[in-house]
Amino acid sequence: MSTYTIQEQFNQYLDLLNKIHNIGHDIDASINEVEITDLEAKRTVLKHRLQMVSKTLIASLTKMDSRYPIHNHLGNGTTYLYAENNKLMFEYH
């Protein structure tokens, strides 16, 4: 079980997804092979961290045994996080 709240875990999850996405763009824009190799290594490390954060978030949601609400300011609605079959699930209302 994580010592972080579900909100903190979800924030870490989103931060890692964003970093992985941005590194993908950097790789596409690179022409230097050494730089590409370095970026790919960083992306791999972030993907491993994302897997760990996902596992702890899923464990926290499973233990909570209910849906966790996240207010979506852009969509002016609520997204609910929950775990199903050991996977992170999202439901928007």
Side-chain angles (χ1 to χ4, degrees):
M1 186 69 183
S2 176
T3 57
Y4 293 106
T5 66
I6 290 175
Q7 183 67 54
E8 290 168 330
Q9 292 174 64
F10 185 64
N11 290 347
Q12 290 174 358
Y13 176 85
L14 290 178
D15 183 55
L16 288 167
L17 279 178
N18 187 48
K19 286 178 180 177
I20 291 167
H21 177 78
N22 289 339
I23 286 176
H25 284 299
D26 291 345
I27 289 171
D28 291 341
S30 296
I31 53 173
N32 180 331
E33 194 63 38
V34 172
E35 184 180 2
I36 290 171
T37 301
D38 181 51
L39 289 169
E40 287 175 337
K42 286 180 183 177
R43 183 172 58 178
T44 298
V45 168
L46 289 173
K47 283 183 176 183
H48 288 302
R49 284 184 51 204
L50 180 64
Q51 288 173 341
M52 290 187 312
V53 168
S54 295
K55 284 180 184 181
T56 58
L57 180 56
I58 289 167
S60 296
L61 289 167
T62 299
K63 185 175 182 177
M64 190 176 99
D65 198 30
S66 63
R67 293 169 189 232
Y68 184 82
I70 302 283
H71 183 69
N72 182 338
H73 296 283
L74 293 175
N76 199 23
T78 302
T79 299
Y80 292 90
L81 303 178
Y82 61 100
E84 185 176 280
N85 297 323
N86 215 23
K87 292 183 180 177
L88 184 60
M89 306 296 285
F90 304 89
E91 185 176 293
Y92 180 76
H93 288 276

